[in-house]
Amino acid sequence: MKRTLSYGEIAEVSLELSLLLHAGVGTGDALYLLGEDSPHKKLLSAMAGEVDGGAALASAMRSSAAFPTYACGLVEVGERTGRTEEALAALSRYYEDRVRMDRRVRSALLYPAVMLALMLVVIGVLLVKVLPIFDDVYASLGTRLTGVAAGLLTVGRWLEGALPVFWAVLAALVLIGFLFTAVGPLRRSLVSFWQRGHGDRGVSRKLNNARLAQAMAMGMASGLPLEEALGLSAGLVEGGARRRCEDCRKRLDNGEALSAALKASGLLPASQSRLLELGQRGGAGDASMEKIARDLSEEGEAALDAAVSRVEPALVLLCSVLVGLILLSVMLPLMHIMSAIG
C-alpha cells in the first residue's frame, strides 16, 4: 500500500526540488539527487524514471499517490505557466504553515486533555477509595452516610464494580488516540468527517479561514488568477468552508465586485476583502493575499489560545467544586457527630 507523505515531508521535498530547479538542474536529475539520501528513495526514483520517460512532474506526483490532489494540481498549473519553481516554493511555504498550525493545535489541546484526565482520576479515587473509609467510620459510630454522601458512595461502589470495563474502555481510547496521532490518513479522514458536520464554527472557522487564505496565497504566488486559486482552495476544506468558496466563486462568475463577493460569501472579513481588491487593482494581489493569510493565521492562533486559556481555569474550578462537595458531604456530618460525642 502506497503511503501518503506527511505535510512536513511534502514541504521538505518541495523546497529542495525548487532549489535544485533554481540552480538549473533538470527535473529528473533533481529527483534522482533528492532520492540519494532520502528515506523516500524508492518513491523519488520512480518519479524520476517517469519524468525521464517524458511524463510531467505533476503526472509523476499523481501516479505516485503520495501527494495530495491540491499539490499535484498546483504543480501542473506551474508547469503550464512556466513557473514550476515558484509553485514548488509556494507549496513548501504552505505546508510548513500547515505543520506549524497543526502542531500549535495539538499542543494547545494536549494540556487541557491531561488536566481533565487527572481530574477524573482524583475524583474516581475519592469515590472508590476514600468514601468507603468514611462509611466504615460512620458505621463504627452507629450511623450511616446520608443524602449527597450516600449517593456518591453508591456511585463509587458502582465504579468499583465496573473497573474492568473502565480499564478496557480506557485502553481502547488510548489505542484510538495513538492511531489518530500516528496514522496520518486516518487522522485526516476523521478530521474531514468532523469538519463536514461541525468544523466550521468558532475557532475552527477562524482556522479554516486561515488555511483557505494560505492556499489562495500559494496559488496566486504560483501565477494563478484569483478565481482559479479560489477553486483549487475549495478542494482543501469540507462542509461550510467549501460552501463559502463555491458561493464566492458563483458571485464572481455572476459579475459581482471582488470585495462584495468575498464579504457576502463570508470568505473574508470586509477590511481584508477591500485590501485584496485594492491589491488586485494595483497588480499586487499575491502580496496582498499573503498579508491577509498571515493576519488570519495570527487571528486564528490568538482565538485558539483564548479558548484554551478559558478551558484551564474552568477545569480547575470544576475539579475544586466536585472535590469540595465530596469532602464536605462527609466531613460536616462527622463534625456534628464528634461534637455531640465530645
Side-chain angles (χ1 to χ4, degrees), residues 84-322:
T84 308
E85 177 189 331
E86 290 85 347
L88 289 168
L91 269 178
S92 176
R93 290 193 299 271
Y94 171 73
Y95 282 108
E96 284 175 355
D97 288 340
R98 286 297 303 266
V99 169
R100 180 179 56 84
M101 177 133 350
D102 289 350
R103 187 183 300 121
R104 187 74 175 268
V105 171
R106 285 196 298 270
S107 62
L109 296 178
L110 178 61
Y111 182 63
V114 171
M115 280 196 64
L116 178 61
L118 291 176
M119 179 184 73
L120 293 176
V121 168
V122 169
I123 293 173
V125 169
L126 286 174
L127 293 176
V128 174
K129 298 297 183 182
V130 177
L131 274 182
I133 295 175
F134 279 100
D135 187 51
D136 293 340
V137 172
Y138 273 70
S140 66
L141 297 174
T143 184
R144 306 294 296 179
L145 289 174
T146 58
V148 176
L152 293 173
L153 180 63
T154 302
V155 172
R157 286 172 175 166
W158 179 84
L159 287 175
E160 187 174 14
L163 277 180
V165 176
F166 171 79
W167 289 119
V169 171
L170 181 61
L173 291 176
V174 170
L175 178 61
I176 292 172
F178 173 77
L179 292 175
F180 182 82
T181 303
V183 183
L186 175 63
R187 180 174 63 252
R188 286 190 282 271
S189 298
L190 292 176
V191 170
S192 175
F193 174 77
W194 179 80
Q195 285 181 338
R196 282 196 293 269
H198 308 283
D200 197 42
R201 305 172 186 171
V203 176
S204 294
R205 178 162 184 158
K206 292 181 181 294
L207 295 176
N208 280 337
N209 287 342
R211 293 186 181 115
L212 279 171
Q214 289 169 354
M216 289 175 63
M218 176 178 64
M220 294 172 70
S222 303
L224 283 177
L226 174 63
E227 291 79 4
E228 290 188 33
L230 183 61
L232 279 175
S233 301
L236 289 175
V237 290
E238 303 285 348
R242 174 173 290 182
R243 287 192 292 271
R244 293 202 305 277
C245 286
E246 294 170 350
D247 181 49
C248 183
R249 182 68 183 270
K250 289 179 182 177
R251 291 176 182 275
L252 291 173
D253 292 341
N254 291 333
E256 284 192 32
L258 176 60
S259 60
L262 291 170
K263 180 181 176 182
S265 63
L267 198 62
L268 292 177
S271 60
Q272 290 160 332
S273 301
R274 179 64 176 168
L275 174 62
L276 180 57
E277 184 174 36
L278 292 174
Q280 287 284 92
R281 290 179 181 177
D286 54 346
S288 300
M289 197 67 235
E290 286 184 7
K291 182 183 186 310
I292 291 171
R294 287 196 302 271
D295 292 343
L296 290 179
S297 295
E298 292 175 0
E299 183 180 337
E301 291 174 3
L304 181 63
D305 290 339
V308 173
S309 67
R310 290 193 296 269
V311 170
E312 181 182 346
L315 287 177
V316 172
L317 179 62
L318 179 61
C319 182
S320 302
V321 169
L322 290 176

